[in-house]
Amino acid sequence: MNIQKNAPAVDHVTASVIQGALENIAIEMGYKLMRMSYSSIIRESEDFGAGLVDIQGRGLAESAQSTPLQSGPIPGYVRGILKTLADRGESINPGDVIMHNDAYAGASHVPDVGFIVPVFYKDELIAFSATTAHHLDIGSLTPGSCGIVDAIDAYAEGLQFKAIKVYEAGKKVIPVWHILRDNIRVSDLVVGDMEAQIAAARIGAERLVELIDRYGKSTFQAACDNVMDHAERLMRQAIAALPDGTYAATTFIDGYLDDPDPSRKELPLCVAITIKGDEMVVDLTGTAPQVPDKPINMPLHGTVDIAIWLTVRSVLLDTAVHGHIPVNDGLVRPIEIIAPVGCLANPIFPAPTIARFCPGNQLADTVMKALAGVAPSQVSAGIGNLRVIAFSGLQNSEHWVHMEIFEGSYGGRDGKDGMDAVDTLYANTRNNPIEDIESHLPLRVDRYELREDVCGAGQWRGGFGSVREFVYLDAGGASIEGEGHKFPPWGFRGGNDGGSAGLRLDRTNGKGGELPSKVPHTPVDAGDRFVCVGPAGGGYGDPLLRDPEMVLADVTDELITIARAADDYGVIINEDLSIDRAATEKRRA
Amino acid sequence: MKLIGVDVGGTFTDVMYGDTETQDVAIHKVPTTPDDPSRGVIQGMVEICERFDVSRSEVDHVLHGTTIATNAVLEYKGAKTGMVTTEGYRDILHIGRHQRPQHYSIMQDVPWQDRPLVQRRHRKVVAERLSPPDGAVLVPLDEEAVRGAARELKAAGVEAVAVCFLFAYINPAHEDRAAAIIRQEYPDCFVTTSSAVSPQFREFERFTTAAMNAFIGPKVRTYVRDLEAAIADNGFRADLHVMGSNGGVATSAMVSDRPVLTLLSGPAAGVLGGAMAGEKSDRKRLITYDVGGTSADIGLIVDGQFAEATARDTWIGGYPVMAPMIDIHTIGAGGGSIAHLDAGQAFRVGPQSAGAQPGPAAYGRGGTLPTVTDANVVLGRLQPGNFLGGEMNLDAPAAHKVMSEFAEQLGMTVEAAADGVLTIINANMANAIRSRTVQKGHDPREFSLVAFGGAGPLHVVEVARDLGIPEVIIPPYPGITSAAGLLTTDLKYDAIRTEFQTSGDVDGDRLSRDFNVMRDGLAAQFKIDGLDDAAIAYQRSGDLRYVGQGYELRVPVADGPVDQASLGDVFKTFEAIHTAEYGHVFEDSPIEIVNIRVTGIGQMPKIELPTLQQGGVLKDALLDEVPCHFRLDGELAAMATPLYARDKLPIDQVFEGPAIVLQKDTTTVIPPGAKATAQRGGNLLIETGA
C-alpha cells in the first residue's frame, strides 16, 4: 500500500484524531437537537440534520443519528446562503444566525428549514455549524407541511426564507420572529423547534472553536483537507473496482393518477450511469419534464444530489461491508450529475417542490436499478416507496398537526431476503409509538401489522410491507403524499415484482373509497378511518430456486398462504405444514 | 458478616472475600468455565475459603455478577419463546420503529427481524383493547382465545411466553388475567407480562423488553437454581444475591423472575467498585474507566450518585431494553485493538480487536497484527518480564516486528508509529468520555478519573490530560474492581408508572397516591426478602419533558405529599437540568410529568478496604530502571524510567514521572510531568499536571 505522493501538511495521527473530534461534535449537535425538539417529526421520526461545513461550503462531518435527507443537504444550504448574501452584498458577522429554506438555493424543500451559525476564529470566518429540520408547518395553504400536493407554485408552499438573519451580531431580530409566529400554524411547536436548532448549531460552533484552538488554524485546515481527501480516495477506489461502461435504468412515478392530464401522471425517471476509471457520471436525461403547477418537482441541490449520492455510497461503500465511512465532501467529488434544466430533477423557479419526498426516493431507487447492471450482488431488488400523512384538526381555535411517515420495504438481496416494513433508501425515520399518539392526539391506531400474502417472490424474496389503520376520534383533516400505487417495486434476476401500495378511506357516511397516492387536504369526520397499505419489495432471483424450507417457514409464519407457495414458488405444502417433496420436484421441473 | 463477591468475566472469574467486622479481605482468580460458569464460581468460592482459612458455613452472603443473561442475548441462545398480544398488532416486535440500524447500507441485518426474540408463528393475537388516558376497556379480553393460544404454544413446545398488550402500563388487568390463564394451562411455562417488567409507554420497546425477559428467563432461572444448589452442596449456608444493571443487587428469586434486570450485571459492579475506590480518596465526582482487551466501559458518578441511563438509550445486542441501568458507555477500544491503515489510507485503531486468541503479537500466540498492547511494549511501557506479575511472558521482538512493518507503511519510525497508536486510541477514549460529560453539561475538569481493568491504568493519565482532568485514581486491585464492587452493594428495586400529567393541571393527590402505592409495592418485596424497615430507604423521581418533546429528564421529587409548592420545586429543577444538559431552556413552556419512579434501597452489610500500613522508602519499591519512550514538549524521546512494585510503595510519599508501577493485575504508567502518591486508603493517586 502506498502513501499519497505529496507529503501531507498534517501527520496521519493528528488527521485521524481531528476527524474523530469533528464527528464527535456533529453527534453532540444531533443528540441535543433530537432531545430538545418538540415535534414528533423531529424527535421521533428523526427528520433532522446537523453538520459542520468549511468556509468553501464543503461538508466536514454530519451527525450519525439524523436522516440522510437532512444532513446530506447541509453543505448545499451553506453554499446557498453564501451566494444569496453575496448577491445582496451582505456580510456575515460574529453572532449572526441565518435561516434558509430556499429550494432553489440548496435547501431540500421549504419545510426543511436550515439554521446556520458562522464560526469565527480570532475574528476570522473559518467554518459553519448548521442544523436542518422538517417543521410541522411552514404557512402553506393547508395545515401541515406534507401532502401539500396542490400547491401551484413556490409561493403557495409557504414562507420562503432566503438567507434571513434571525440573529444579527448576537441580537435577536424580533420582527422576523413575529412574522414566524403569525404565519405558521402550531407556532409554539415550530418556533420551539427552531430555537432548539439554533441552540444545537451554536453548541457545534463553540466546540469547533475549542478544537481549532487546540490544534491551531493551519493544522486544523490541513486535517480537514486530509479527511476529505481520504473519503475521496475511498469512493474513487470503489468506483474504479467496477468495469467501465454505461448502465441505464428507468422507473416510473405515479404522479397524479386521478388527473385527466396525461402530463401529470405515470412519469419516467431515467438514470444512465457511466463509469470511467475512478469517476462516475450520473445522467438524468430522459426524465419527464417538470410539472409546472404541481409540487412533485425535485430540487437539484438538496434532493436530487442527495438521492444519488446516498444510493451510490450505500451500494459501493455499504457500511455493513466496509465499516464506518466518514461522511464529508470528499465522498461526492468523483460523482458528476447531469440533469437537463426544466426536467423533474432540475425544475425552473417558481415550479413548486414541496412534495418531492417520494419522487426523490424513487429516483434513488432508479439509481440503484442502474447500478444493478454493474454491481448486481451489492444492490437489492426494487424498494417500496413511502407515504406521508399530515393529520390535523382544530380544537378551540388551536390547530393540532401530526405527521406520520409510512414505511416501505426493501427488495430481496443476494443471499438475503429484503428488510420488512422499514423506511427505504434516502429516508430513515422512525414511526411514532401508538401509545404516544393515542395519549396526545384525537387519533386511534387500530392496526399495525405486516401485510400478509403480498410479496415479491424470489430466491431471496422482497420484504413484506405493512398495514396501518388510523381512526379519527374527532373531526379533522388529512393531506397525503405517497407513491407506488401504480408501479410495483421491480424484481431482479428473475425475481417477481413486489406489491404496490394502496390507500383507502372508510367514511362513516359511506362515501369513502380507494384513494390515489396524492390527496390534497380533505376534511374527515369522527370515526373515519384511513387504511394505509404499504408496498412489498421486489424479489431477487428465480423463485423456483428458493429453498423449500424457507418457503415453508413463511407459510408456517402465516406470511404467505399454501396456495401462494405453490403458485409463486412451486413448493407444495401439505395441510400439516410438511413439504410434499415429490410434488414440489414435479411442479418445479 | 462475611461476604463473598464473585464476578464472572470472559476470561477470569474474580473472587473477593470480605469480613465486615474484622475488615479482612482476600482476593482470588480462577479461569472462567464458559460451558457452565457456575463451576468456576463454586471453584473460586471453595478455593478462596481454603486459601484464607475461612469456614464455608460462616459465609453470610454471596454476591454475584454474571453474564449469563447477557450472553444468552448476544449469542441468541434463549428459550423457544411465545407471545400473546393484542389483535391487530401481531408484528410490533418485528416492525419496531421502522428504522434501519444503518443509514448507508443495503446488505445490513435488522436484529429484531433477523434474530427475532419470538418467531411470528409463536406470536398469537387475542381480542382485547385498552385506551388512554385511564386504561378504559374498549374491547374486553377474550379469555377463551387466551386459553386457545396457551394450548397452541404449549403444543408447539414453547418454553416461555410474554404477554404484551397495548396500554397495559396504565391498566395491567388484561395482562395479569391472560398470564394467569396461561399458567393454568401450562404451569411449567415461564410467563412474563410487559406491565410487570417495564410499566411505561412505547410499545415496541416495552414488548421487546418483555419478550427478552421471556427469551432468557428459563436459562437464567435454571442457572440460579443450580448455582444455589451447588452453593449449598459445597457446605455454604450463604444466600445468593445477583447484581442488577441498576447498580443494586436483587434476590435470586427476583432475578429468576426478571432476568432482564441483570443485563449489565458485571459492568455495573465495576462502576460500584470504582465509586468505592473514589470514596477512599474522598472524591465524590468520578468518571470510571474500565479498559480490558476489547472494550472500554465508562461510567459517571456525580456527588456519590451514579448516572442512570434514560430508558430510550439502553440497548443490548441491537435490541432496545427498557430496564433501569447504570449509564455505562462502551466503546470498542482496548489492549487488543488493532492498528491499521484503512482502504483510504487513514490511520485507524480498532474497533476490531485481536481478542484473547490470537491476541496481540506480544502474546506470542501467533498474532500478526499490531495492537495497542504491542505499541505499549514497543514504547517500553509494558515490561516483558513483569506482565501480570510475571505470570505471562511478553514476546517483545514479535511486538517490534509487527509495529515496524506497520511503521514502514506509514513512513514513520517504529516508536513514532507506536506513539501514534496510543495517541489515536487515547483520543477515541477521551471522545467517549466527552460524550458522557461535556455533552451532558458536566465539566470533566471537576472530576477524578478512576482507572481499572487490565489496560485502564496504562492509558489513563494521557486520557485524563486530553480532557483536562487533574487527578487520576488507581484502586488497590484494579484487575478485580467488579468483584470488589459487589461487596459494596445494596438491594435495589425500581418501580415506575407512566402519568402524562401537565404543569398547570397536575393532580397532586393522584401523584401522591401513586407514589405511595409504588412504595408499598417495594416495601412488600423487601419484606419477602426479610429486610428490616430501618434498613430501607426510598428515593422518588420523575421523568419530565416539555410538552411535545420525546425525551425525558430525570428529576428528583422530595418526600411528602405532592402539592403546589413541591411541584414548583420539581419544575424549577427540571429547567435547571434541561439547561445543564442541553444548554437551553424554553421559557414559559408547559412541562409534562411522563413517568414517576420510586427506587427502594435495602442496606446490605458492606466491607471497607483495609488501610495500608507500610512506611519505607521509595528505593525499596524500585525493581529496575528501563528506557521508555514518552513525548516531551512534542518530541518523542527515550527516558530512563524507574519500575516500582505497587505493594512496596511508601505511603504518602510523592514521586514523579516518568515512572511505571507494576502489580499482579495491571501496569500503571506515570508519564513525565505527572506525580503519584500511594495513599493510606489503598489508592494510587496521580496528579496529571493538566
Side-chain angles (χ1 to χ4, degrees), chain A residues 523-541:
Chain A
V524 291
D525 285 328
D528 287 359
R529 171 190 304 265
F530 281 106
V531 180
C532 309
V533 176
Y540 188 112

Side-chain angles (χ1 to χ4, degrees), chain B residues 375-393:
Chain B
N376 276 308
V377 171
V378 166
L379 296 174
R381 298 178 184 194
L382 279 176
Q383 288 296 317
N386 281 300
F387 188 57
L388 287 181
E391 284 185 7
M392 180 172 168
N393 202 13

Side-chain angles (χ1 to χ4, degrees), chain A residues 38 66 214 318-319 407 416, chain B residues 98 102-103 105 107 466 548:
Chain A
Y38 279 89
S66 57
R214 200 148 172 213
D318 189 323
T319 50
E407 53 281 338
K416 286 179 179 181
Chain B
H98 85 192
Q102 301 179 52
H103 287 325
S105 168
M107 299 305 286
D466 199 340

Side-chain angles (χ1 to χ4, degrees), chain B residues 457 461 465 472 474 612 614-625 630 640-663 667-680 682-689:
Chain B
V461 174
R465 285 176 170 174
V472 157
I474 315 289
L612 302 179
Q614 69 264 43
V617 288
L618 190 60
K619 190 160 60 71
D620 295 344
L622 185 67
L623 295 170
D624 201 354
E625 192 170 87
F630 288 102
T641 304
L643 304 181
Y644 296 117
R646 171 95 186 244
D647 56 3
K648 299 220 170 64
L649 285 173
I651 302 304
D652 289 340
Q653 194 176 318
V654 179
F655 59 99
E656 299 196 356
I660 287 175
V661 176
L662 303 173
Q663 66 190 103
T667 299
T668 303
V669 173
I670 300 150
K675 293 178 195 166
T677 317
Q679 294 189 305
R680 195 162 298 279
N683 290 330
L684 187 64
L685 191 81
I686 306 172
E687 291 172 50
T688 65

